[in-house]
Amino acid sequence: MEVSKDNLSTILDVNDLEDGVQHVNNPIVGLEPIVKKYLGAVKDYRQEGNSFFFSDGNAQVEVRVVSDEIIRVRLAPQGVFLEEFSYALSHNEQKITVFTCVENEQNYSVQTNTVACVINKNNFLISFEDINGRIINQDLSAMHWEENIDFGGFYVYATKKCNDDENFFGLGDKSSDFNLRGNRYLNWNTDAYSFGKGQDPLYRTIPFYMGINNGVSYGIFFDNTFKSHFDFACQDNDKVSFWADGGEMQYYYIHGPHMMDVLKRYHTLTGTHQMPAKWTLGFHQCRWSYYPEKKVKDIARNFRERNIPCDAIYLDIDYMDGYRCFTWNRKHFPDPARMIKELASDGFKTVVIIDPGIRVDENYSVFREGKQNNFFCRRCDDYFMEGHVWPGRCQFPDFTNPKVRVWWGGLFKELVDAGVAGVWNDMNEPAVFGSGTFPVDVRHNYDGYHGSHRKAHNIYGMQMVRSTYEGLKKLQKNKRPFTITRAGYSGVQRYATVWTGDNVASWEHLKIGIVQCQRLSVSGISFCGTDIGGFSGEPDGELFTRWIQMGVFSPCMRAHSAGDTAEREPWSFGQEYEDINRKFIELRYRLLPYIYSAFWEHYKHNFPILRPLVMLEQENILTHSIQDIFTFGDKILVAPVSDPGARTKNVYLPPGKWYDYWTHDSYSGGQEHEVSAAIDSMPIFVKAGSVIPESPLMQYVGEYEVDELIFQIYYSDYEVNSFYYEDHDDTFAFEQNIYLEKKYVVNGDQRSMTINQTIEGLFTPRYETYDLKIIGLPFAPSKVLIDGREFTDNLEFDDLKRLRIKSSKSFKRIEILA
Ligand code: GLC
């Protein structure tokens, strides 16, 4: 007879069971099948500080007021929360003014002065409302979970309502269309060599998205490092779900109403990039691999002889001895310190790759040290985690162990002493040949909170680059470290720049890259870029040049290519393309003061560097599907050309007035224009009223001391603010206020234009004067007043019809009169 709950009582009387004695052959009483369980009706609640705990009798939900606009929700299926720990959070202080919990017959409502989290007593459905009672985001089902028999813990789920016209953005480096709606995604950091459009998962886990619901934006950050899943109205058109294979259902609701507000608030949780050294914003030339030394020198010489600006040369894995990290192949690089010094004297920084796999080799000091100190990862039964990567059989440091991070950081000493300026961390998903990555039973320290690779996989790469960053910061003294990583988790931006991994030399991949950079930017990772030209495969000259053009407006501008491809430098495609590539790399260098200022705005005020059109005009639903036009900072709009043979492009400009960067023709926004996109050009527009700082041309950052700064100033008949930031370029002196932040207000009417300047900060630049180029005046100027003093005699126009004014760097007000 089969034993079931129904006939159990006829077989034995459960009361006859001896207390505390479990007999192997006894049927187990009360064993429930594993099913998804949902929260039931709310039975009670209590408050502890800024947390409110609601219970259905078994499970508990914590609603925590994190700031006036951020509320965190956590679920404990059996009433006991996991310990509080997150690698994502930056521990920035949050501002909470007032909050309270109000109860009525149906609901509890946890309220701040801007947002309410409303919990339905009957069904535990949670919704988020603004101060006017408008529902921004709401549960479709109550939070639920399913026990995980294999590993313990729970699969945890949240399901939200999705409105018909609701769209979704974010989630890191996904290669699908920009709007996430209609797709399902998986987060499990993966070495995705030559990934295709829509291939998932990729290299990073950024479990943060923004929705736009009826013109109002909000964000959800699901801070869970386990394998996680997001479904944006893919399975059901009226549902958005997110779930994970373990850990806690723990998410932050981040209030808008604008996407920009949401993103800035996400940055208050997870931090921003550090202020980068200015040279890192120049052009970087990379290749798998430049060796021996002579080849590296040849590349450097070519840049200088051909007058193509460049700041950094990368050494890929072949600089090492048998791919052993922190060693040099002395045959190819007999005296690295000398070579790096010589490169530096010609204005080149040297960046080297360092992977996580450490070759199992008793004659190799890094392996021996790691082994002696028990720093390498182990399997569940205490065997070492071993796998093959470039060096052959390897073991892998457990970067989730703080001691390992300190040790690893110290290993960079010799490289730093040799003059290495930056470090490139690769293969840190972690990648293992054959199996792809570690088996899930590998154990990790997880900063004392312990866990298997299921929990640590997605943050392994971030902790590796964190340890690299922190090591460099100590070793390089007062210099800003440069690190670039392939893998990461939310918050990785505090430690590194990222690139999008092994893309392909195809037009489709150029398009994917345009989306990926914007997507990373709205997912908290502003300092990002693609392998310009495509990593694998062969671009033709046109594709490479179009990619260089896009690269000018990628926060990180790095060309890179796989070892089995033809030579891939800006001069590799013949004179015509070389000239165009030079022109665009020069443009990058001219715009560096503007680009550097945009990074300051990111670092200081949480603004993203790239801003997709939807972020500028979210209420216009048409912008939700535009993915090939964006602004860099808030003043320059670009529309990279990503079709072969294209010589025009349709460009939608957001409301307001815009100027063509090349011709200075003015355009009205709020509509689409067909504009020229000749191969030696690309559509670039500047917002009316902008003050764009530019640098005289240099072959590398700091080539010479600037004796005059250039500003392009665009007339506007409404008031527009701009700013310009400068400091020592690569030290931390700015933290002691040794910087200048200059603010400009431009305004005009039919007969006059004014430019006001205010200056803050303690930095003293060497230059004394400005070369102001005034664009778009609707009148013939007859008089210019600088701080009240008249300059009328020598009003000059250049061949681009710009009025030229020389002024002192400390002017307060310039008036241009008809
Ligand atoms: C990986 C990286 C690539 C690098 C190569 C060799 O494929 O993504 O950028 O060149 O490894 O180190």
Side-chain angles (χ1 to χ4, degrees):
M1 179 167 64
E2 242 187 70
V3 179
S4 73
K5 251 189 179 170
D6 297 334
N7 64 19
L8 194 62
S9 56
T10 62
I11 307 169
L12 85 171
D13 183 351
V14 285
N15 297 322
D16 289 342
L17 284 174
E18 280 173 68
D19 262 3
V21 178
Q22 283 273 336
H23 296 284
V24 177
N25 293 328
N26 279 352
I28 299 162
V29 179
L31 181 69
E32 289 177 26
I34 295 182
V35 287
K36 277 190 189 164
K37 289 194 181 158
Y38 289 74
L39 287 166
V42 186
K43 296 240 167 72
D44 56 51
Y45 99 94
R46 74 194 153 82
Q47 178 183 359
E48 268 175 40
N50 50 342
S51 284
F52 297 84
F53 294 90
F54 300 88
S55 166
D56 68 357
N58 295 310
Q60 275 209 72
V61 170
E62 181 198 9
V63 172
R64 179 186 205 137
V65 179
V66 177
S67 75
D68 289 345
E69 297 90 5
I70 303 177
I71 289 186
R72 186 183 73 177
V73 175
R74 280 214 291 169
L75 164 72
Q78 291 173 326
V80 183
F81 290 97
L82 300 178
E83 280 181 279
E84 288 251 11
F85 177 72
S86 165
Y87 281 116
L89 301 185
S90 71
H91 304 291
N92 283 335
E93 278 205 12
Q94 300 286 342
K95 191 177 103 263
I96 320 177
T97 44
V98 262
F99 61 89
T100 172
C101 182
V102 182
E103 183 178 355
N104 64 25
E105 228 167 87
Q106 281 121 37
N107 301 316
Y108 295 102
S109 174
V110 176
Q111 303 174 349
T112 73
N113 57 14
T114 45
V115 59
C117 172
V118 180
I119 299 120
N120 185 307
K121 288 181 174 174
N122 277 334
N123 50 24
F124 229 126
L125 294 183
I126 296 179
S127 62
F128 296 92
E129 299 177 359
D130 68 12
I131 204 71
N132 304 316
R134 183 165 53 165
I135 297 175
I136 314 289
N137 176 267
Q138 65 185 128
D139 283 349
L140 186 72
S141 335
M143 286 188 282
H144 44 292
W145 61 91
E146 186 180 315
E147 199 172 345
N148 185 334
I149 285 298
D150 295 327
F151 296 99
F154 304 91
Y155 298 92
V156 289
Y157 303 82
T159 305
K160 304 276 178 187
K161 245 187 201 166
C162 174
N163 286 334
D164 285 348
D165 61 356
E166 196 165 348
N167 289 316
F168 305 95
F169 304 91
L171 229 59
D173 59 341
K174 305 300 184 190
S175 60
S176 58
D177 283 340
F178 192 51
N179 181 353
L180 302 164
R181 184 169 182 138
N183 294 316
R184 181 176 272 206
Y185 299 92
L186 173 66
N187 291 314
W188 185 250
N189 294 357
T190 299
D191 175 7
Y193 171 76
S194 290
F195 58 90
K197 176 157 186 194
Q199 185 176 320
D200 192 46
L202 298 178
Y203 301 89
R204 268 167 291 280
T205 294
I206 314 294
F208 162 65
Y209 72 87
M210 288 181 273
I212 303 177
N213 187 4
N214 283 321
V216 175
S217 181
Y218 65 90
I220 298 284
F221 172 38
F222 178 27
D223 188 8
N224 181 313
T225 61
F226 285 73
K227 187 178 276 179
S228 58
H229 313 254
F230 286 78
D231 182 304
F232 296 98
C234 174
Q235 183 173 314
D236 294 304
N237 201 30
D238 61 346
K239 236 193 232 174
V240 167
S241 306
F242 48 93
W243 66 100
D245 291 8
E248 243 171 19
M249 173 46 64
Q250 172 185 184
Y251 70 87
Y252 295 80
Y253 165 84
I254 307 174
H255 198 58
H258 294 290
M259 257 177 119
M260 187 68 89
D261 304 325
V262 178
L263 182 55
K264 286 172 71 176
R265 286 171 190 146
Y266 171 75
H267 277 301
T268 68
L269 289 175
T270 61
T272 63
H273 293 278
Q274 307 299 325
M275 190 60 199
K278 203 183 219 171
W279 68 265
T280 68
L281 306 180
F283 180 66
H284 302 202
Q285 182 66 43
C286 187
R287 166 98 172 147
W288 176 14
S289 302
Y290 289 132
Y291 74 95
E293 172 177 337
K294 186 179 169 310
K295 179 76 191 175
V296 180
K297 290 283 195 54
D298 270 1
I299 295 293
R301 189 175 36 77
N302 264 283
F303 272 102
R304 296 298 177 246
E305 280 177 10
R306 293 168 192 269
N307 283 316
I308 300 176
C310 180
D311 260 277
I313 292 197
Y314 283 56
L315 301 180
D316 204 330
I317 48 176
D318 298 286
Y319 79 89
M320 302 179 214
D321 172 18
Y323 306 132
R324 289 172 190 80
C325 292
F326 307 102
T327 66
W328 288 89
N329 179 325
R330 295 287 169 172
K331 193 171 137 234
H332 296 318
F333 298 95
D335 188 352
R338 179 196 33 79
M339 176 189 78
I340 293 172
K341 199 166 161 207
E342 285 164 11
L343 286 169
S345 69
D346 212 3
F348 290 97
K349 302 285 192 292
T350 305
V351 178
V352 300
I353 196 168
I354 289 286
D355 290 349
I358 298 299
R359 187 183 160 94
V360 176
D361 174 356
E362 293 294 342
N363 297 320
Y364 167 37
S365 65
V366 178
F367 176 72
R368 277 200 316 272
E369 272 180 37
K371 186 176 160 191
Q372 276 156 14
N373 291 298
N374 204 11
F375 284 162
F376 295 121
C377 294
R378 290 174 183 247
R379 306 287 300 272
C380 62
D381 292 329
D382 226 28
Y383 302 115
F384 282 107
M385 164 58 219
E386 293 199 347
H388 282 257
V389 226
W390 308 121
R393 202 160 178 84
C394 286
Q395 294 189 9
F396 302 83
D398 180 9
F399 295 106
T400 71
N401 179 342
K403 283 195 191 131
V404 175
R405 290 199 296 268
V406 171
W407 167 66
W408 182 263
L411 293 174
F412 290 94
K413 177 154 189 340
E414 273 180 42
L415 291 173
V416 169
D417 288 348
V420 162
V423 174
W424 170 21
N425 280 167
D426 185 25
M427 305 292 275
N428 52 354
E429 291 70 33
V432 177
F433 295 157
S435 56
T437 188
F438 294 1
V440 293
D441 71 293
V442 168
R443 289 141 42 192
H444 293 272
N445 175 284
Y446 214 92
D447 276 64
Y449 293 89
H450 304 284
S452 75
H453 199 60
R454 291 189 334 121
K455 177 160 111 177
H457 176 81
N458 284 334
I459 45 84
Y460 186 85
M462 171 184 180
Q463 296 313 302
M464 177 191 185
V465 77
R466 168 188 181 180
S467 135
T468 302
Y469 178 87
E470 288 171 348
L472 292 181
K473 191 163 176 188
K474 271 192 214 146
L475 292 166
Q476 292 180 326
K477 307 285 171 344
N478 190 26
K479 289 255 182 296
R480 300 174 208 167
F482 175 69
T483 51
I484 175 165
T485 181
R486 199 169 69 175
Y489 180 76
S490 292
V492 67
Q493 68 270 14
R494 301 197 298 275
Y495 310 113
T497 304
V498 307
W499 93 103
T500 59
D502 296 342
N503 59 359
V504 181
S506 70
W507 291 94
E508 181 177 55
H509 254 273
L510 174 54
K511 290 196 172 72
I512 294 173
I514 294 169
V515 169
Q516 282 184 306
C517 288
Q518 293 179 76
R519 175 133 56 216
L520 282 164
S521 199
V522 302
S523 305
I525 303 181
S526 262
F527 198 177
C528 61
T530 61
D531 282 351
I532 291 174
F535 179 68
S536 58
E538 302 290 354
D540 61 12
E542 184 185 4
L543 175 58
F544 184 81
T545 286
R546 289 305 197 189
W547 216 315
I548 284 275
Q549 294 173 351
M550 196 283 261
V552 174
F553 299 98
S554 296
C556 177
M557 187 182 189
R558 185 184 82 146
H560 183 39
S561 49
D564 57 358
T565 59
E567 304 222 310
R568 188 85 73 74
E569 288 80 37
W571 53 86
S572 304
F573 302 91
Q575 195 62 49
E576 186 200 355
Y577 290 116
E578 178 180 335
D579 291 344
I580 306 172
N581 296 337
R582 178 188 303 101
K583 168 177 166 181
F584 275 89
I585 297 173
E586 285 179 357
L587 174 64
R588 172 85 177 193
Y589 278 77
R590 290 186 203 283
L591 288 175
L592 273 182
Y594 173 79
I595 292 172
Y596 194 58
S597 301
F599 271 84
W600 172 253
E601 209 187 11
H602 171 72
Y603 163 77
K604 184 77 188 287
H605 304 293
N606 296 338
F607 286 97
I609 307 275
L610 301 189
R611 306 170 189 192
L613 285 196
V614 58
M615 190 167 243
L616 307 179
E617 214 191 333
Q618 67 187 36
E619 60 288 353
N620 176 358
I621 201 140
L622 293 176
T623 64
H624 297 200
S625 53
I626 299 178
Q627 53 184 26
D628 58 348
I629 304 170
F630 55 87
T631 66
F632 189 112
D634 69 334
K635 300 286 190 278
I636 297 183
L637 178 143
V638 291
V641 180
S642 56
D643 287 304
R647 297 296 179 261
T648 60
K649 179 151 177 148
N650 290 343
V651 180
Y652 173 83
L653 296 172
K657 201 170 121 187
W658 297 84
Y659 290 89
D660 181 312
Y661 180 79
W662 307 106
T663 64
H664 304 148
D665 290 343
S666 76
Y667 287 80
S668 303
Q671 50 184 291
E672 192 174 86
H673 300 272
E674 187 185 304
V675 298
S676 153
I679 182 70
D680 63 347
S681 183
M682 78 183 275
I684 306 174
F685 292 88
V686 183
K687 227 183 198 169
S690 298
V691 175
I692 306 285
E694 290 193 359
S695 159
L697 185 61
M698 298 198 190
Q699 295 304 305
Y700 56 91
V701 169
E703 185 189 9
Y704 56 87
E705 200 72 55
V706 173
D707 57 11
E708 186 169 73
L709 207 66
I710 303 158
F711 287 93
Q712 304 237 44
I713 305 179
Y714 296 80
Y715 170 86
S716 156
D717 58 5
Y718 47 91
E719 190 176 293
V720 176
N721 295 305
S722 302
F723 83 102
Y724 164 61
Y725 173 83
E726 64 186 332
D727 65 9
H728 279 296
D729 290 354
D730 65 349
T731 74
F732 284 95
F734 68 93
E735 290 179 349
Q736 265 67 54
N737 290 347
I738 315 292
Y739 64 81
L740 284 187
E741 205 178 72
K742 303 183 171 183
K743 299 207 169 97
Y744 300 92
V745 184
V746 167
N747 206 345
D749 56 31
Q750 282 313 300
R751 301 191 53 79
S752 75
M753 175 176 176
T754 55
I755 307 150
N756 289 315
Q757 175 180 248
T758 48
I759 303 177
E760 250 174 52
L762 303 174
F763 178 70
T764 314
R766 294 268 187 88
Y767 61 84
E768 289 301 329
T769 52
Y770 291 160
D771 178 5
L772 307 177
K773 305 178 177 180
I774 315 289
I775 294 159
L777 285 176
F779 54 87
S782 66
K783 204 196 256 184
V784 172
L785 300 173
I786 303 180
D787 293 331
R789 288 185 52 210
E790 194 173 325
F791 291 81
T792 311
D793 293 345
N794 45 2
L795 291 188
E796 259 182 55
F797 290 84
D798 63 17
D799 44 6
L800 287 167
K801 298 201 197 96
R802 296 174 295 199
L803 171 66
R804 303 291 286 265
I805 301 173
K806 295 268 179 198
S807 84
S808 129
K809 67 179 175 187
S810 49
F811 85 84
K812 291 201 172 60
R813 181 176 173 84
I814 295 181
E815 291 158 89
I816 305 166
L817 305 169

